[in-house]
Structure formats: C-alpha cells, structure tokens
Amino acid sequence: MALVWHRFRFRRWLFHFTVGFVLFTQMAGAVPVESDPPQNAPAPHKNLTVGLVLSGGGARGLAHIGVLKWFEENRIPVDYLSGTSMGGLVGGMYSMGMTPDQMQKFMNSVNWNETFSAGPTFDQLSYRRKEDKRNFQVDLEMGVRKGVRLPTGVSSAHYIGLMIDRLTLPYGGLKSFDDLPIPFRCLATDFVAAKPVVLKDGRLATAMRATMSIPGLFPPVEREGKTLVDGALLNNIPTTAMKELKPDITIAVDVGTPLGSENSVQSLFGIVQQSLTIMTIDNDRRNLRLADVIIAPELGELSLLDFSAIDKAIEIGYKAAAEKGELLRKFALDPADWETHLATRSARRKTAVPVPQKIEVAGVNEDAQIKIEEELQDFAGKPLDLAGLETRLTSFTGEGRYASLDYEVTENRQQQPVLRIRVREKTHAPPTLNFSLLIDGDDISAFRFAVGGRLTIYDQLKYGSEWRNDLRVGFSSFLRSEFLYPLSQKGWFVAPRLFYTRGEEGVFVGGQRLSQFQINRIGFGGDLVRLYRNSELRFGYEIQRIDADLTTGQRPDQPLNGLVDFARLRYVYDKQNSATVPTAGLRLASEGRVVFNSPGDRSSFPQVEATASYYKPIQENASLFLSGLFGTTFNKDAAPFQRFTLGGPFRLGAYGRDEFRGNHAFLATLGYQREIYKLPPLFGTKVYGVGWYDIGGAYREFTAPLYRQQISAGFIADTKLGPFSLIGAIGEGGRGKVYFSIGRTF
C-alpha cells in the first residue's frame, strides 16, 4: 500500500511539473501580469475535487458565466467555489444551483441603470418627495444627522439588494455556505480594520451584497459588527479562501482590468485606472500562483460598468475556457459520473419558498416598525408576490426616510415561516438638505440669479410629521416654514405655515415697461391636507400683507398695498417620470380661491387657476407634449398684483417678463422633444432638442380676449444642477428673444 501511495505521489508531482512547465512557456500573457505563475495541474483522477475561483471585475465578470457554460458542456465538475465582487455574485448564483443559461437570462433581464441608480426614480417617490425634487432640482441630498454629511454611496444599493434577495430567497435561514449545492466562499474587505474577510456562513444575501459593495458607489454593509466593502480592494482573486477548502485542483478565472498602454495613460481616467491596477497587481500575482490552472478571458476595453454587452462578455469567457480545453478536459467526468454529480448537486438545491405566516420588521423604531408591518400585512398567509412586495418596499424608500429595505423568508423562534423586512436608515439623514439654483436671462441687463435650500425635519412631536424650512436668496427670495402634523394613519394632516417673499414684477403698457416694483409679502396660513401616493388635496385659509415698492417708472393710480386674505381649495396630481425634463406622464395643478379682502375698495371675488402638462412617448427617444394654463376671476376685477401674468421664459418667451397681466389668462402649448445626446453620468443624463408652438395671453375683460402666438425651439440638458435650457422664440410683429435658463422648464 505504501509503495502504491508513493508511486501515485510521484506521478502527481511529475504531472504538476510537466504541465506547469508547458503552460508557463506556452501560455504567457493569459493574465494581465508580467508573466503567468506556473499552472500545476494534478493528474486526472475521478476522485479529485475541483475548486473554481472567480475574480472581481464589474461587468467584465459576466465572462465567468461563459466559462461555466463551457465547463458544463464538457462535464467539468465544480466541487467548491470562491469569488470576489462580481465573481462573488456569479459564484453565489452558480453555487445555489442556477445553470449558466439561467444566469445569462437573468443578467439580461436586470435593469442595470436602475440597479446602480442613486435611489427611487421620480415616479416611485411619494408626493412630498416629488415636490422636493421639483422645487429644489440640484441632484444632491445632504443630511444633518451628525453634522452636515453626504451619503456614503452614489447608489443607495436598494435595487441591487432587492435583486440579491430575490436570488437567495429559497435559502433563508441558511447556517453555512457549505450547505449550498456547491460549497461557497466570498471575499469582502473590513473597511475599518483594512483586512480581508472570508464570508462562509450567516445570511447569504448580505454576504453577496458585501462582496460587491464598491466604495463610493454603494454604501458599506454592516455585518457581524464589521463594516464591509468590496472584497476586490484586498483580494481580487480569492485563491487563499479556496485553499482553505483543500481542493485537489484550483482553477482561477481572472477578468481583472489589464495594465494600460502608454497611449491609454494620457488622460485623467486612464491615469486613475492604471494607478488602481498597479496598486493591486502584486497581490493578484501572488494569489494567481496558488492556482493550478488560470483562465484569463481577453475582454479588451470592456469597462467595469459596461453592462450593455452581456452576451459578448459571456461569449468571450466561453472562448477563453475552450482555449484551455486540452488541459481542462483532463478533469472531465465520464457521462455516468457527470450525471451522478448533477443529481447530487440538484438534490441539495432549494427552490421552494415557505408561505410566511407573519411579518417582522427590524432596523427602525417602534412607531415605524408598527406602520411598516401594518402596510405589509397583506403579504402574510399566502405565497409571496415578489413583484408586488418589491414595489411596496421601494415605495417606503420613496418617502425619503430610508436608504433601502430588503427581505427574506426565515423561521422565528416558534419555527413559523416569517417574512422578515430589514430597514436600513440613511446614515447621513434625516434631517435632509436639498438645494436649488435658478439662473435665467435674455441679455446681460436681464440676467437673474438665485440659490436656495430646503431643510426637512421628520417626526417632531409625532411619528409621520414633517417640518419644512425653505430659504432662497436672489432675484426671487423667500423664507418659508410649514409643519405637517398627522391626524390619522389614513393620510390626513394639518399644516400651519409662515412665509415671507420678495421679488420683482413689472407693469407694461403697449409692450413697453411702464414701471418696476419690488413686491414684499409676509403672512401665515393653514391647511387641512389629504395626502395620496401621487397627489395632494388641501383646504385652508391664508392672510398676507402686500407692500409694493416702486423701483423705476410711474406708479399706477390704484391701491397696491394692503391685506389679502382668502380661503382656498387646491389639488395637485403628479404622475410624470421626471421633475426636470419629463418624457412621459401627466401633471395637473388646480386651485380655487375666494378672496375676501385685497388692496383697494373691492368686494370679495372668486379666482381659479389650473395648469397641466402631458408627455406622450411616440418613439424610444422622442415625445410629444401638450401643456396649458387657464385662470379667471370670472366677472370681478382683481388687485394689480393678484392678476395673472404671462411673458418670459417658457410663458410666451418671445415677450417681456410679466408683459401681459389681467383678470383672465389662457395658454396652450403643443411641442416635440427628442433625445440627441447622452451626458457623462458625472454631469447629468441627456440633452434634448425641443420645439413648440404657443397661443395665449392675459387680458382684462373676459369678453375681449387678446391672444398672441409664437414658436420656440432650442435645447434642454438634464444636468446635475437642474435643467439647462437655451431657447429661441419668435412671436407676432417680429418680436423675439433668445434666452437661457438653469433650474426650470415648463
């Protein structure tokens, strides 16, 4: 027996030496290092175990699926798996029992733009958060929880968390990753201690989230008292974790970014990328030397975040494995053993999800826990509707309090299946700070500038309350404060408010500016409010003092200063897909007032105003839009600065600002908008070409309307600072202007 054992060891050593020498001399350049480490593969033997190591690499890591596809077609068993970053995601999916074809189909079904987005899309926000986005359009939210802070990641990781929850759902309550169909390890980095962490038990979903939490892009994952980020920081090729499992053969797939050429380091991005590669390359080389076989797909210039070429990356991975086919087939099982291998793996796979009998919520205070549990009760006692559940969880993030919510089905202490929801609050907020920047003009003398911010404080006096405090300084300044206090769990609130506004308005006669006023308003009011998901209904009362100070020109012969008080009914519905440059959806805002007192000897009068805009996609990158405005005081005469005005950017822009003023107003717009350019993500989203036709006016007598017509065309860029517009408008009589604007559109 001893002699047989020594002969086997000698043959195994001889095979290691021979294969290693051949691969070292003939396969140089297979990985992005100066030279490949020896690839010492043991002699083929049906009892040998194979460990597969999958490196990180972002979108480049999708090539791993192609490698696995070739393995299955050629009956190469995988007995152990370890992965980092994208290799951890792909490895986890395969370890759970998914086939390469299923993985490819799943990856193609993922909305990657949404997965990496900062948070809920505009149409997923609650109505109050939509108002924040419309009024404060700078794409930046800061928090003042412990001093002024930024978020810990560009993305909240809510969507990628839901994606991984969906994948791992059958494995709720998993004790050890050794219990998976294929024993699995993934690597993360302890961001505080600067140490690699091997994840091998506990909740599978958080392990897979942690291994790909790229710092700056995704927030860290808190797990077992550690702050974990992407494992690629310290160990992008986790052969060390694989060696702990002691396979006979270790195969590493390296999809890391190769060193750049002299030409590629002539740009800032190229220099940064080359620097990161240099910092990790020595560690990669050391880890690759622990592998017996190395597969390095030639992915060329495919970037880390380019998920537009999934099938191409998989095909490249398949070809890379095929190029090593002569060596890899030595580890193939015969058909009978392969079927046994698949059967054993399949028997360990879980697909059924127990029906949850209860809902449990963790991560928030008792008031929030009760509210969330109540709203999710309809998911208990029946098979899970995953699409409905994920939509509901996303709606909670749309309320602005939470960064993300995830879920699993596991057992409670009574061994009942429960749906457990984990809420991750924002580390920087609430309270939240939002910002606005407003710039517009049609020449140097008409240039206007304003900056502002909104501080929103949650849950003062009672859970569910919101205290908004707005400040803007510039051509149109204001200071406002409103406290929204909940009366019930059914969406009813009271909202007392205080405000001060200051701005400029002009008075025109025959197209010529007669005078310019600085208008100051100070007042208070309160509303009874009913909030819905996409709309708001208000009924209330307001009293204000108006002071109109003449700055240039002549003062009209009618009272301008005095008290104004009115009762109002206001309804707003917002189902558009963007606060900045919509491409689909309807928004309607309407308000009816009964004005009791106003400057001058006037009796009370009614006043109604309504605006609407509707965008209809007609192609993948183009939309038609229709918008309108209507206002009337019926047969009553309003005070000068309570009348409706038109003129200026996006409101008959060929004419002067507030050139048309009257007791009645009408404006109809029909236009076309088309995407013409994609902005770099650092600066915004898209640039649109836009053109439209306007007809409308503001006039004194309802029976004598005076309408103007104009056409406008230009460009609107959806930037991080808000929409930037450059528009030319031509009206009747040769009137026309070219104007620009930041921070507002229609």
Side-chain angles (χ1 to χ4, degrees), residues 564-637:
V564 176
D565 69 320
F566 57 86
R568 71 169 184 171
L569 179 65
R570 177 176 174 80
Y571 176 73
V572 181
Y573 173 84
D574 195 342
K575 201 69 173 65
Q576 291 182 339
N577 64 349
S578 173
T580 50
V581 188
T583 58
L586 170 69
R587 184 175 190 270
L588 169 68
S590 59
E591 183 169 317
R593 298 180 176 183
V594 177
V595 181
F596 301 115
N597 295 286
S598 59
D601 186 16
R602 290 181 173 81
S603 59
S604 62
F605 61 89
Q607 191 173 47
V608 172
E609 182 177 10
T611 61
S613 61
Y614 176 68
Y615 288 76
K616 174 65 176 178
I618 56 173
Q619 294 174 323
E620 184 178 354
N621 58 355
S623 299
L624 289 176
F625 61 89
L626 178 67
S627 65
L629 176 151
F630 174 76
T632 182
T633 55
F634 299 93
N635 60 346
K636 300 289 186 177
D637 185 40

Side-chain angles (χ1 to χ4, degrees), residues 74-188:
N74 290 272
R75 304 192 305 275
I76 312 297
V78 176
D79 300 291
Y80 305 105
L81 251 168
S82 68
T84 293
S85 198
M86 182 56 78
L89 177 63
V90 172
M93 293 168 71
Y94 193 64
S95 293
M96 286 185 287
M98 292 182 72
T99 67
D101 286 339
Q102 290 171 335
M103 293 159 66
Q104 183 171 2
K105 182 179 179 181
F106 178 83
M107 291 298 189
N108 276 308
S109 72
V110 174
N111 183 340
W112 292 101
N113 288 332
E114 180 182 75
T115 299
F116 293 115
S117 65
T121 57
F122 181 75
D123 55 348
Q124 292 170 330
L125 297 176
S126 67
Y127 176 79
R128 299 277 288 183
R129 303 292 75 79
K130 288 181 178 181
E131 281 193 317
D132 293 343
K133 293 287 187 182
R134 286 197 178 276
N135 297 321
F136 297 86
Q137 295 188 337
V138 175
D139 189 18
L140 172 68
E141 179 187 270
M142 300 182 71
V144 289
R145 173 174 282 187
K146 296 179 181 178
V148 179
R149 291 185 176 184
L150 288 168
T152 54
V154 173
S155 169
S156 67
H158 173 70
Y159 293 108
I160 198 166
L162 293 182
M163 180 185 79
I164 294 174
D165 291 340
R166 198 180 322 132
L167 287 169
T168 60
L169 189 60
Y171 294 93
L174 185 71
K175 303 299 182 184
S176 169
F177 298 172
D178 290 340
D179 297 332
L180 291 167
I182 301 174
F184 175 62
R185 301 288 185 271
C186 65
L187 268 290

